[in-house]
Amino acid sequence: MTGFRVGLTDLLVYTGLGPMAMTRANYLTAAATRVDSFWVPDHLNSLIPRSIGTAKYIGTAGAKLLPRPDAISEPWTALGYLAAKNRFARLRLGVGVTDAGRRNPAVTAQAAATLHLLTRGRAILGIGTGEREGNEPYGVDWSKPVARTIEALATIRALWASPGELVTAVTLPKPVGGTQVYRKVRDRASYAFALVSVAAVVQRDGSGRVALGGVAHKPWRIEAAEAAMPRGARAVTAGLLSGAKPTQENAFKLPLVERTLGAVLTQAKA
């Protein structure tokens, strides 16, 4: 870190002045006071119970200002609106925090990447488990929230790190020693709906095991090739695919395996 930083948070609550009036006022305040960032939450309902969101507890003016405490705007849409309406402000824009269980991680990755591009690198993805009251009442499974968050992070990182391939699945079985990573991709440039998958277990010393999918009639593993893991993806791929005889239609899989294995090894070592 280069120093202490300060951000301002808005609750994205609908007010009697309009759906975004208070939020935009807070954003302009943040820009005028030169804070570092502007944050919005990701909720389907308010943190303020309806029972106290009345004139009896928040006053007549407060009740008029907040007529519907549970009317919360969607965060990524709201941040996109703010970025478009305030193009000259250079505040960083973040969601604090988005829900890993309620949102599909691929959708979250797409939303954050889109905001990142629209704002020229000012987007911040805050992500967490969420809370029970924001999931169960809407029919969202609340089992294993921490495990869901870990898997969502792995999926998002794989999507962002993918050099143009389509990541279709990322799973995280419990490792038995070392770090275990699984990635399945499709090469967009080939225009072929053909998948390649790589599963690897990497130990701290760089050794490990590797298996491929989509390159043979069964999962493909050659133990002798795994001895080259400390030397990197190219050496391992050469051993795994030694003697391979690709056709014109599937020759793209050879470099795809090397790129995917390289990304898997990098992720595992990180």
Side-chain angles (χ1 to χ4, degrees):
M1 292 183 63
T2 57
F4 187 75
R5 298 182 181 184
V6 177
L8 189 148
T9 298
D10 179 84
L11 296 180
L12 284 182
V13 178
Y14 177 90
T15 70
L17 303 175
M20 291 294 292
M22 187 67 71
T23 298
R24 191 174 182 202
N26 286 334
Y27 180 90
L28 293 174
T29 299
T33 54
R34 297 184 179 181
V35 300
D36 175 72
S37 55
F38 186 78
W39 298 79
V40 295
D42 185 3
H43 294 294
L44 292 176
N45 49 20
S46 176
L47 297 177
I48 303 173
R50 292 184 182 182
S51 58
I52 66 172
T54 62
K56 178 180 178 181
Y57 295 101
I58 63 175
T60 303
K64 289 183 178 180
L65 184 63
L66 301 174
R68 305 179 186 89
D70 283 328
I72 310 295
S73 297
E74 198 280 326
W76 295 106
T77 306
L79 290 179
Y81 166 84
L82 290 173
K85 294 288 287 185
N86 304 276
R87 289 177 294 174
F88 298 106
R90 299 302 300 168
L91 289 173
R92 301 189 71 190
L93 302 175
V95 176
V97 298
T98 201
D99 195 323
R102 179 160 42 83
R103 291 181 180 272
N104 184 288
V107 176
T108 298
Q110 182 186 37
T114 300
L115 185 64
H116 177 79
L117 293 172
L118 293 177
T119 60
R120 297 182 180 180
R122 291 184 288 123
I124 305 173
L125 170 61
I127 189 169
T129 60
E131 63 285 319
R132 186 181 297 273
E133 59 266 31
N135 285 270
E136 279 193 343
Y138 304 96
V140 180
D141 182 18
W142 183 242
S143 63
K144 300 181 179 179
V146 175
R148 287 172 180 266
T149 303
I150 294 173
E151 186 166 352
L153 284 170
T155 302
I156 290 169
R157 285 170 173 162
L159 288 165
W160 286 347
S162 173
E165 289 94 13
L166 174 64
V167 177
T168 59
V170 175
T171 58
L172 289 175
K174 186 177 181 180
V176 183
T179 301
Q180 188 164 339
V181 181
Y182 172 77
R183 184 176 294 193
K184 183 187 292 184
V185 301
R186 177 168 66 90
D187 183 49
R188 290 184 181 276
S190 70
Y191 297 100
F193 192 74
L195 300 171
V196 163
S197 61
V198 174
V201 177
V202 183
Q203 306 296 337
R204 291 185 177 181
D205 61 1
S207 63
R209 293 178 295 168
V210 176
L212 306 178
V215 298
H217 63 284
K218 63 179 181 179
W220 191 254
R221 179 184 176 219
I222 298 179
E223 293 187 31
E226 295 167 353
M229 285 187 66
R231 291 159 43 204
R234 178 170 296 182
V236 178
T237 303
L240 286 170
L241 301 180
S242 176
K245 298 179 180 179
T247 65
Q248 183 178 355
E249 288 74 21
N250 63 17
F252 69 91
K253 288 192 174 185
L254 274 66
L256 180 59
V257 166
E258 182 178 330
R259 293 199 303 271
T260 306
L261 178 57
V264 165
L265 295 180
T266 299
Q267 180 180 343
K269 293 175 181 177

